[in-house]
Amino acid sequence: MGCFCPNCGAELAPGQKRCPHCGAECLELQMQPKAAARGSLTGADFIEKAKGWESPKKKGRGPGFAMLATLLLLAFGVVAGFLCIHLTGAFAGKGVENAQALPGDGLVQDEGGQEETTIDAATLERALTEEEKAQLEEFIAQFEQKVELILTQDWGSDGIKGAGVLSGTVAEESALWKGLDAQTGAWSGAAHLPRLTRYQIQSYTTQWDGNVLVLQVWEQMEGEDPAGQPIALQFEDTYMLERRQAGYLCFDSRCDGLLAALDTYYEEASAENLEFWIIAGSGRCYTREELERASEFELSVLRNGMYAVSGKIFTLNHQIEDYFSQFQWYLPDTEDDEIVRSRMNDYQIENIIRILEVEREKGYQKS
């Protein structure tokens, strides 16, 4: 009787202790006739029974494979740990270098421990080219010249230009244009008005902000007071310049310094010069604070001054007529108030309304 594998049922050679098909061990005690192991089956019964038999099992991995895999994992872990330690040390050293190059306070320390200011990151972005430097110097020279023209303009012969002088250099919608247009006028027209004759950019720094050149300047205006004593006003401003093919255009500005200096000069000059107030009233509205400081006569002159610059003939008030007759710009040609008012601009009309309100509150005018 032959021997059969108790696991898969394959026939074994006499004395064979391991199945050549499934690898199972076949001890003598386990060996038995196939018919006894499976039962005697024929035909359809054999086919049905065979469907439930187990398929021959694949040979499993031995303990040597598990040990090899463990050794490989250990080796990989050692290499990974070594690389991690090495890279961490390298980045740490680089971080120390960076910390020494740029401390948290934004200062650089040299070898002697002295602190030096760093250049702003936006400045490092791009330096001015030689062509851009030349264009900037040309812009500054033109800007200085045009501001001086505003300060020294003679409104009696050339008319009030205001910021119109800056055409081509400063964008008309900018704060600088509007500020100068509203606050400048007959700077040299009045006989006893302190004169500002020179505007100069003493020094400046530049910094790129995208495509905008930020120009920070330290400025000075010079002139003389009515007694001939020198006047010097110093201030600083920031202008935003757009570079164009032909040069730069100041499209916006934080010109608080220049306008504040002009405000101060304007207030001091106009405090003792009614002519200045009258001319300025064609280009700006008087504030309530300014009007409340004025006397009854000054308020009357200012209110009638809006009519005088528009050609009014004063037939009933000779004192007012005599006052305006001393000025070359007073050219009366009509007694009709409607014609005179049609010549006024919005500033002059608004100033008349504001002056009347203050006069009535103080009892100078009947309601």
Side-chain angles (χ1 to χ4, degrees):
M1 182 181 293
C3 295
F4 298 89
C5 176
N7 184 52
C8 67
E11 186 174 359
L12 303 176
Q16 194 171 14
K17 297 182 178 182
R18 185 177 294 278
C19 178
H21 296 282
C22 69
E25 292 184 354
C26 302
L27 301 178
E28 291 183 1
L29 294 176
Q30 295 175 327
M31 295 181 182
Q32 54 183 325
K34 185 175 181 179
R38 297 293 183 183
S40 299
L41 297 175
T42 60
D45 294 334
F46 178 85
I47 294 173
E48 287 296 322
K49 189 67 176 178
K51 292 180 179 179
W53 292 350
E54 295 179 355
S55 300
K57 296 181 179 179
K58 294 183 179 180
K59 187 176 181 180
R61 295 186 177 93
F65 176 81
M67 182 173 291
L68 178 61
T70 303
L71 290 175
L72 288 175
L73 289 173
L74 289 175
F76 177 77
V78 171
V79 173
F82 175 78
L83 290 176
C84 182
I85 294 173
H86 177 73
L87 293 176
T88 302
F91 284 123
K94 190 67 175 178
V96 172
E97 292 178 3
N98 291 338
Q100 292 175 349
L102 186 59
D105 57 3
L107 300 175
V108 175
Q109 291 188 351
D110 58 20
E111 295 179 356
Q114 297 294 324
E115 294 181 343
E116 300 176 358
T117 57
T118 59
I119 301 176
D120 186 84
T123 307
L124 290 174
E125 181 180 338
R126 183 169 74 82
L128 290 175
T129 64
E130 293 301 321
E131 178 187 4
E132 290 169 338
K133 290 179 181 178
Q135 289 182 335
L136 181 58
E137 292 293 336
E138 178 66 19
F139 170 84
I140 290 175
Q142 291 183 3
F143 187 73
E144 289 177 334
Q145 182 181 19
K146 291 181 178 182
V147 173
E148 285 185 3
L149 284 176
I150 295 174
L151 299 178
T152 60
Q153 64 186 313
D154 184 357
W155 53 266
S157 58
D158 298 332
I160 299 176
K161 302 184 186 70
V165 176
L166 298 173
S167 178
T169 304
V170 175
E172 294 187 15
E173 66 274 11
S174 71
L176 178 62
W177 179 286
K178 294 178 179 178
L180 288 176
D181 191 58
Q183 300 182 56
T184 59
W187 294 102
S188 61
H192 303 290
L193 186 68
R195 290 172 53 89
L196 292 175
T197 58
R198 187 183 184 195
Y199 166 83
Q200 183 180 20
I201 294 179
Q202 297 179 306
S203 62
Y204 65 87
T205 59
T206 59
Q207 176 179 312
W208 285 103
D209 184 5
N211 294 323
V212 175
L213 182 62
V214 181
L215 177 65
Q216 185 171 7
V217 297
W218 286 264
E219 306 155 286
Q220 179 169 297
M221 285 193 298
E222 300 174 354
E224 59 183 30
D225 61 18
Q229 298 298 316
I231 298 173
L233 307 175
Q234 295 180 331
F235 43 93
E236 61 181 275
D237 280 307
T238 302
Y239 302 99
M240 277 73 80
L241 307 182
E242 180 182 15
R243 186 169 183 265
R244 301 194 173 184
Q245 187 174 4
Y248 289 98
L249 174 70
C250 180
F251 69 92
D252 200 358
S253 58
R254 296 188 290 271
C255 48
D256 297 339
L258 175 57
L259 296 182
L262 291 174
D263 270 342
T264 301
Y265 174 79
Y266 174 87
E267 184 175 349
E268 293 177 353
S270 61
E272 299 179 358
N273 195 296
L274 286 175
E275 180 191 11
F276 183 88
W277 280 63
I278 295 168
I279 300 302
S282 300
R284 63 176 287 266
C285 289
Y286 304 135
T287 67
R288 187 168 186 82
E289 290 75 18
E290 290 171 335
L291 295 177
E292 287 179 347
R293 291 196 299 264
S295 65
E296 181 179 3
F297 174 74
E298 290 171 339
L299 289 173
S300 176
V301 169
L302 291 177
R303 175 169 47 79
N304 286 288
M306 303 299 99
Y307 290 89
V309 297
S310 300
K312 166 73 175 177
I313 298 175
F314 298 96
T315 56
L316 301 178
N317 193 331
H318 298 292
Q319 182 183 18
I320 290 295
E321 184 180 14
D322 292 341
Y323 179 84
F324 291 120
S325 296
Q326 64 178 310
F327 305 121
Q328 295 180 353
W329 51 261
Y330 178 53
L331 302 172
D333 62 354
T334 181
E335 298 180 17
D336 192 327
D337 287 345
E338 293 299 323
I339 295 177
V340 174
R341 276 193 287 268
S342 68
R343 297 172 179 175
M344 294 181 186
N345 61 30
D346 292 340
Y347 290 118
Q348 293 169 315
I349 294 174
E350 179 64 22
N351 283 330
I352 292 174
I353 295 173
R354 294 187 179 191
I355 294 170
L356 283 172
E357 289 177 350
V358 174
E359 286 180 316
R360 287 167 181 166
E361 288 178 2
K362 291 188 173 185
Y364 304 150
Q365 284 275 349
K366 295 181 179 180
S367 302

